[in-house]
Amino acid sequence: MPASPDEDSPLGARLRDLIRLEGPIGVDRYMAICLGDPQHGYYTTRDPFGAAGDFVTAPEISQMFGELIGLWAAEVWLQMGSPAPVVMVELGPGRGTLMADALRAARALPAFRQALSVHLVETSPVLRQAQGRALADADPTWHDATGTLPDGPIIVIANEFLDALPIRQFVRKDGAWRERLVGLDPDGRLAFGLAPDPEPLAGAAPEGTVREVPVAALPIVRDIARRIAATGGAALFIDYGHDGAGYGDTLQALRAHGFADPLARPGSQDLTVHVDFAILREAARAEACAYQGTVSQGEWLLRLGLGQRAAALSARADPGQAARIAAAFDRLTAGGATAMGRLFKVGAIANPALPLLPGFDTFAPPDSPAPVEQAP
C-alpha cells in the first residue's frame, strides 16, 4: 500500500528524490536507508526500546534472560578449554541490558569473567551512549562491523540482530523471478513494484510467491563462522523466524508496539524480517563450522533452567515482584503461534571440535547434510 503524504517524513522526501534521479531501488537499499541514514535513520537517531519506544526485547522483559545467556557463555568457555583471553561479542547490543545481566551472572565463574574482553558491534551513536552507561565497569570496545573484531577464541551473542538487516525480495511472475523494488506510483508516493527483467534464481514456485535473500546477514554470519573455525568458539543467534520454510513476504514495520505500513514515514519506524535459520545453518557449514539447533526460545530457556531461576527469584520476592517474575516467565516461554516462546528460535554456530552446547540436542557438522539427533 503506498504511503499517503500525511504519513511522510524528511527521509521520505529524500527517498522520492533519489528514486526520481536513479529509478526504483531494491528492498535492501530501502531498508538500509530507513534504518541507517546518518541524519534521519531509525536506529541512528533514537532509542526504540521499552514501553516508550516501539518494541520490547527479551532482555528488557526480565533479567533472567541475560543471566541465563551469561551462564551459557561460561559453560561454553569451559567446553572450549577455558582459553584466556577470550573475546566476548554482542551484535546489536540494544541498551546494553543483555550484556550487563550476562556479565553479572558470569561472576559465578570468576576465571571466565577475568578472561573475557567485551566487544560490541553497534553503529548507532544513541545506543552506544546507552551501552556505555550500562557497561561502564566492563570497559567495552565498540566496532562498526565484525571485520575489526580481534583475533582469538570468540563467543558471540546476537539477540534480535539478524531481523533488522536488509534483504532482497524476489517475486515469481510469469514463470520467472523478478526483484521487488520500491518506486513511485503515478501520484509520486512510495509504492512497491517489480523489476522488468527476470533474475537467474534457481527454483520454481507458484505465481506470486515471494522469496527473500538475506544479503546483509550472510556475509556477517560467514565471517563469524570463519573466525570460529579458525580460532575456536561459538555464536548464539536468537531471533523470530523459521527453519526452512523457504518462501513468503515477512517484511514488516513496527511502531508504538503495533504493525504499520513499511512504506509510511520512512526512518520513523522499525523495519524487520523473519530470519531463515536454515540459511544460517548452511552458511555455517560452508565455512567448516557445525550448526546446533534450531530450537524454540521457550524450550531452550527451559532447558537452561529458566523455571528454577524464576522460582529462586520468587522465593525472595514480595507478592508484587513475584507476579512480575511469573508474567516475565510466561512471556518468554509462551507457546502460542505468535508468542515469543514459540515464534523466536535459537541456533548456534560452533567449532566442530565442541560437543553439544547447553540447550541444544541436534547438530549439523560441516560434512553432514542434515541434523544429527543426540541423546539429551
Side-chain angles (χ1 to χ4, degrees):
M1 179 184 298
S4 60
D6 62 344
E7 293 184 313
D8 208 348
S9 62
L11 190 55
R14 288 177 48 186
L15 279 163
R16 291 197 303 273
D17 289 341
L18 172 67
I19 292 168
R20 291 188 186 102
L21 180 65
E22 299 184 9
I25 61 176
V27 172
D28 57 334
R29 190 176 180 190
Y30 176 75
M31 289 183 67
I33 293 172
C34 289
L35 299 177
D37 180 81
Q39 289 183 297
H40 302 293
Y42 181 77
Y43 281 109
T44 55
T45 58
R46 73 197 69 210
D47 176 348
F49 300 96
D54 293 320
F55 53 85
V56 176
T57 59
E60 306 291 338
I61 292 173
S62 172
Q63 68 185 64
M64 298 184 291
F65 185 81
E67 288 171 348
L68 288 179
I69 288 178
L71 295 175
W72 179 90
E75 180 62 28
V76 170
W77 178 72
L78 292 174
Q79 292 179 334
M80 293 165 60
S82 307
V86 63
V87 180
M88 180 84 159
V89 180
E90 187 174 0
L91 308 180
R95 292 172 170 168
T97 305
L98 187 158
M99 182 62 77
D101 291 338
L103 294 178
R104 185 177 61 254
R107 290 201 291 264
L109 188 60
F112 172 56
R113 182 64 188 89
Q114 293 166 9
L116 65 84
S117 61
V118 177
H119 295 260
L120 309 175
V121 177
E122 178 62 70
T123 58
S124 167
V126 175
L127 293 177
R128 280 192 179 194
Q129 290 181 3
Q131 294 154 15
R133 292 190 294 269
L135 298 167
D137 295 337
D139 192 24
T141 299
W142 281 271
H143 303 262
D144 290 328
T146 58
T148 60
L149 292 170
D151 292 331
I154 190 169
I155 298 174
V156 179
I157 309 298
N159 178 63
E160 290 199 59
F161 171 72
L162 297 177
D163 65 90
L165 298 181
I167 60 163
R168 292 178 72 185
Q169 288 187 321
F170 300 89
V171 180
R172 191 74 173 178
K173 183 172 176 59
D174 299 330
W177 292 106
R178 302 176 191 275
E179 185 168 9
R180 194 182 192 197
L181 304 175
V182 177
L184 301 177
D185 71 6
D187 296 322
R189 300 176 299 184
L190 295 175
F192 288 117
L194 297 180
D197 297 326
E199 295 281 345
L201 296 181
E207 283 286 295
T209 298
V210 178
R211 178 177 177 181
E212 297 179 338
V213 179
V215 291
L218 277 175
I220 295 172
V221 171
R222 297 190 72 154
D223 178 54
I224 290 170
R226 281 192 293 270
R227 290 170 179 269
I228 289 172
T231 62
L236 181 71
F237 293 91
I238 306 172
D239 230 311
Y240 51 88
H242 49 83
D243 192 335
Y247 299 109
D249 178 7
T250 72
L251 176 66
Q252 61 188 23
L254 294 172
R255 184 169 187 188
H257 302 272
F259 294 108
D261 176 1
L263 298 182
R265 299 186 60 80
S268 65
Q269 56 191 15
D270 193 20
L271 295 177
T272 69
V273 295
H274 286 208
V275 175
D276 187 342
F277 281 80
I279 293 178
L280 212 69
R281 178 171 61 244
E282 294 314 307
R285 295 179 58 248
E287 298 297 340
C289 274
Y291 177 84
Q292 301 195 18
T294 306
V295 64
S296 71
Q297 174 182 288
E299 184 176 359
W300 187 77
L301 290 173
L302 290 172
R303 290 176 181 175
L304 291 187
L306 182 66
Q308 295 90 326
R309 179 58 177 153
L313 289 174
S314 296
R316 303 192 301 268
D318 61 37
Q321 292 170 331
R324 288 190 290 273
I325 292 168
F329 175 87
D330 289 343
R331 190 167 180 184
L332 292 172
T333 60
T338 59
M340 179 175 281
R342 181 175 174 183
L343 179 62
F344 279 68
K345 305 297 191 298
V346 187
I349 295 172
N351 186 284
L354 290 179
L356 277 171
L357 306 180
F360 297 102
D361 61 1
T362 63
F363 73 94
D367 58 352
S368 174
V372 177
E373 293 286 344
Q374 293 287 302

